[in-house]
Amino acid sequence: PYTEQQIGNTKVLDFAQDTNGISYINFYFDLKGVSEKNLKNLDLLTTTLKKTDAGDLSFKDVTQQIDTYIGGLSFYATTYESIKNPNQYRPTMHVSMKFLDPNKDKAFELLKTVVVDTKFTPENRVNDLISELKTQMASSVSYRAPMLSRLAAMKSFRPEKGAFLDETSGAVYENYVLNTDFKAKELIPQLRELLAQVFNQNRLYLVSVTATKDNLVPLKNSITQLKESLPKEAGKVDQTWSFANQKDYDGFAIPGEVQYVAQVASYENTDLKYNGAMHVCTRYLNNNYMTPRLREQAGAYGGGSSFSRYGQYTMSTYRDPNLKRSFEIFDKSVYFMDKEALTTDKLLPAILG
């Protein structure tokens, strides 16, 4: 159970639990105040936060104090969809923090310093962080291939959400990072502008707090003070994102002789409703059809199928040496389920998971 309260336009959900002296807080910032030209830099923002100079602290001091006073501090841009209407989504910067209760004041002071006063200096530090990101991205593209293929397919069913995710974490973003010769001197002003657009007090729409009951009131006061310290004007007005110049990527060339394949279909405009039976169906299909044929017969390292609660059905493979054969297996899966004589004994392993 939880209690709900408001701090201005921000909803606060309080979960009173015995947490053994640790407070867990999640902040959710609406990203609609970010200009379209800055969207592609959201991941660069989260890459450099906590790792560059902030306030009066050097980047080494920031790291040391976070390690000392905060058990975990993370930033990531994502989207949250409405369960009732999957076509409605909210682009969000999710900030997660946990700390021992005696460190509350220091934890909030550090969080404020990072989200308000990060300087993105020194320049050579920013250059090093971007270079490291590029190296990681180039060397691990095959591991992210399933995610990239799903994002590409999503744009067919959720054009606006798919375009946002492609711009901020998909193929469009990766091509931007890998093919741009970043100069810290030019990037830093963009990151400072983006920082104010993201961490704006008018954009903090939700906070969730899990802590012992006695600590909920002091934490509310700290959240109120943090919100009041955030910028007001930058990011205040909703931005229009057209993604008019965004490219579509239906395939990605990677080194090697295997492929990562995803085929996605939508069931949202059908009579099907997301439920537990869908999980039983895909587990049965994966165990009795997809894995034997994709892995044991076609030679893929793995593969399977899954339903999402937001109206997509996905079939995929990874480390797959036989693209044509895999698509033939995908196409025939419906005939397998249609002809299969299902019994309780056959379904029990899928039901138990």
Side-chain angles (χ1 to χ4, degrees), residues 28-309:
Y28 302 85
F29 291 85
D30 190 309
L31 290 173
K32 284 296 288 181
V34 175
S35 59
E36 184 171 345
K37 68 181 178 65
N38 278 336
L39 288 176
K40 61 184 179 293
N41 288 329
L42 279 170
D43 190 61
L44 300 183
L45 176 72
T46 60
T47 296
T48 50
L49 281 176
K50 304 187 303 178
K51 300 176 182 178
T52 54
D53 298 346
D56 295 328
L57 301 175
S58 70
F59 70 88
K60 293 181 180 179
D61 292 333
V62 172
T63 301
Q64 182 183 35
Q65 292 203 21
I66 288 176
D67 290 343
T68 301
Y69 297 106
I70 302 179
L73 178 61
S74 63
F75 303 85
Y76 59 94
T78 185
T79 61
Y80 294 105
E81 291 185 355
S82 167
I83 294 178
K84 294 181 179 179
N85 183 1
N87 288 310
Q88 293 181 354
Y89 79 102
R90 194 162 202 171
T92 298
M93 178 64 74
H94 184 167
V95 182
S96 179
M97 178 172 70
K98 63 180 179 181
F99 50 83
L100 292 171
D101 293 337
N103 294 336
K104 172 182 71 70
D105 291 343
K106 191 64 178 178
F108 272 90
E109 178 187 337
L110 281 168
L111 178 60
K112 174 190 171 183
T113 299
V114 170
V115 301
V116 175
D117 294 325
T118 289
K119 301 181 184 301
F120 303 104
T121 55
E123 289 183 8
N124 64 337
R125 174 64 172 168
V126 174
N127 285 328
D128 288 344
L129 290 170
I130 301 301
S131 178
E132 181 180 335
L133 175 65
K134 283 189 169 192
T135 300
Q136 292 174 346
M137 190 175 287
S139 63
S140 63
V141 63
S142 61
Y143 296 103
R144 296 192 311 284
M147 178 273 291
L148 292 172
S149 59
R150 285 179 174 85
L151 283 182
M154 181 187 294
K155 291 174 72 173
S156 299
F157 308 111
R158 299 273 191 275
E160 187 177 349
K161 177 185 175 182
F164 171 82
L165 290 173
D166 217 359
E167 192 82 5
T168 57
S169 60
V172 171
Y173 164 70
E174 294 211 359
N175 275 278
Y176 164 65
V177 171
L178 293 174
N179 296 319
T180 300
D181 182 18
F182 292 100
K183 304 297 184 185
K185 190 173 184 179
E186 299 169 0
L187 181 62
I188 287 172
Q190 298 175 43
L191 293 177
R192 287 174 176 166
E193 178 184 50
L194 181 56
L195 185 75
Q197 291 178 348
V198 172
F199 299 108
N200 180 289
Q201 61 178 258
N202 298 297
R203 294 295 172 181
L204 181 59
Y205 69 89
L206 178 67
V207 180
S208 70
V209 180
T210 303
T212 56
K213 185 176 181 180
D214 292 343
N215 283 322
L216 291 177
V217 172
L219 285 170
K220 179 185 177 182
N221 294 335
S222 296
I223 293 168
T224 301
Q225 292 171 9
L226 174 68
K227 180 178 179 178
E228 290 174 349
S229 71
L230 299 175
K232 293 181 180 180
E233 297 305 319
K236 183 177 182 179
V237 179
D238 278 4
Q239 300 294 305
T240 300
W241 302 334
S242 67
F243 302 110
N245 298 318
Q246 189 177 86
K247 294 182 179 179
D248 291 325
Y249 296 89
D250 295 323
F252 315 100
I254 60 174
E257 298 180 356
V258 294
Q259 294 128 147
Y260 298 76
V261 183
Q263 182 170 297
V264 184
S266 173
Y267 67 85
E268 65 178 333
N269 294 321
T270 71
D271 293 333
L272 292 174
K273 300 297 181 184
Y274 180 78
N275 56 49
M278 291 179 170
H279 289 283
V280 175
C281 175
T282 53
R283 285 189 187 125
Y284 185 88
L285 180 65
N286 292 341
N287 291 338
N288 295 279
Y289 177 82
M290 299 291 271
T291 297
R293 284 162 177 77
L294 290 171
R295 183 181 175 97
E296 298 166 14
Q297 296 179 17
Y301 191 82
S305 62
S306 63
F307 286 95
S308 82
R309 68 169 60 249

